[in-house]
Amino acid sequence: VKSTLHQYLNVMYSRFTALQEYREEHQKRLEESTVAVVGLGATGSAIAENLARHGVDLILVDRDYLERKDVYSSGLYNPVQCKNSLPKAEASKKILGTFTEVEAYSTSLNGQNIDLVSSADLLMDGTDNLEARQVLNDFSKKEDVPWIYTAAIADTAYSMLFEEKCFNCMIEKPQQVATCETDGILREVSQIAAAKSTKKAVEFLTGKNVDESLEVLPEGRVLDVETSGCEVCSRRNYPHLEKSSSVSTVCGDGKYQLKIDFDFDQAKNIDAGEVKAENGYLVRINFGGRDVAFFNSGRVIVEAEDEGHAESTVSELLGI
């Protein structure tokens, strides 16, 4: 992509290199960098687009598929993609691959597949998922790869680079943890969060100093995060890289992901419910008023009241 559009891209970046604090050598550093963006919802998709337009190579990881609500949440996706339930990672790649080199993985990031992001110079969080953030933090501490925490909850945004400090220490304070499912999200706030974290990423990748503190936006508060010597940063234990589970929650109203062995062709031919979308990546049906999406990678995302109900719904549909 970059070699084909090199002359065009030089003009494209001219407004950036005209800045007093940035020059062509800084742009070259960005083009030689690789960033992994984990989670491609409201904040993650905006971060990925911002970085792609800076020429940064991307590794995109997201386990979910597009729904109607994503048309509101993100400026990256269009109504047709959402109607067709494209996986977020694949939909993002189709657009951002016109700007830079993009690898896309429609899967959950965990200790078993963390190598997907091992070539990244920086990790970016767009997950709205505590478990995934703990995986990122464990990997960051183990491999000395910095990451940037980003959250947008209701009308408040948060951003922080973690390099020397530790996310696991920070979340010992429960008042700093919430999700878009419990508190909702204002799309403009997610864009503020993404812009702030992207700015930190650009500064970090071009060799500038980034203050390692928690920023609360748009009010502009800056909070100091103390490293308390937890099992991750002090004792060098990485429990979330070792953890494996067949059922996990997904950002949304009562959505669960299951990892099971099933025949994708069998799933496509289930004679129950209404087929809402089918493409090369998944088949999504409505069964008893609840959405169930079977992925060709061997995952299922299902709307359910709890983990047990999620497992029983999939078992009933597949006859296992």
Side-chain angles (χ1 to χ4, degrees), residues 50-75:
N50 290 343
L51 289 172
R53 291 179 183 275
H54 273 289
V56 177
D57 288 344
L58 297 175
I59 301 170
L60 305 178
V61 184
D62 190 287
R63 62 187 177 181
D64 207 356
Y65 57 88
L66 291 171
E67 301 176 80
R68 288 182 180 179
K69 61 182 176 61
D70 294 303
V71 178
Y72 165 80
S73 300
S74 172

Side-chain angles (χ1 to χ4, degrees), residues 196-213:
K196 173 58 70 173
S197 288
T198 305
K199 184 174 184 292
K200 291 180 180 180
V202 169
E203 291 170 345
F204 174 83
L205 294 170
T206 55
K208 299 183 182 301
N209 181 60
V210 180
D211 183 45
E212 202 167 342
S213 57

Side-chain angles (χ1 to χ4, degrees), residues 281-296:
Y281 309 103
L282 62 85
V283 56
R284 181 168 68 91
I285 68 171
N286 185 276
F287 178 69
R290 298 179 183 273
D291 269 6
V292 184
F294 296 92
F295 290 76
N296 62 5

Side-chain angles (χ1 to χ4, degrees), residues 30 59 71 75 86 90 119 181 215 249 274 313:
L30 292 175
I59 301 170
V71 178
L86 286 179
E90 296 298 335
S119 63
E181 179 182 351
E215 290 192 68
T249 58
E274 176 189 1
T313 298

Side-chain angles (χ1 to χ4, degrees), residues 127-158:
T127 62
D128 192 42
N129 181 295
L130 179 59
E131 181 181 340
R133 285 168 175 153
Q134 289 173 315
V135 169
L136 286 174
N137 190 69
D138 279 15
F139 179 74
S140 171
K141 291 302 175 189
K142 183 179 180 181
E143 302 296 336
D144 293 322
V145 180
W147 71 289
I148 296 179
Y149 161 71
T150 312
I153 303 152
D155 60 356
T156 305
Y158 304 87

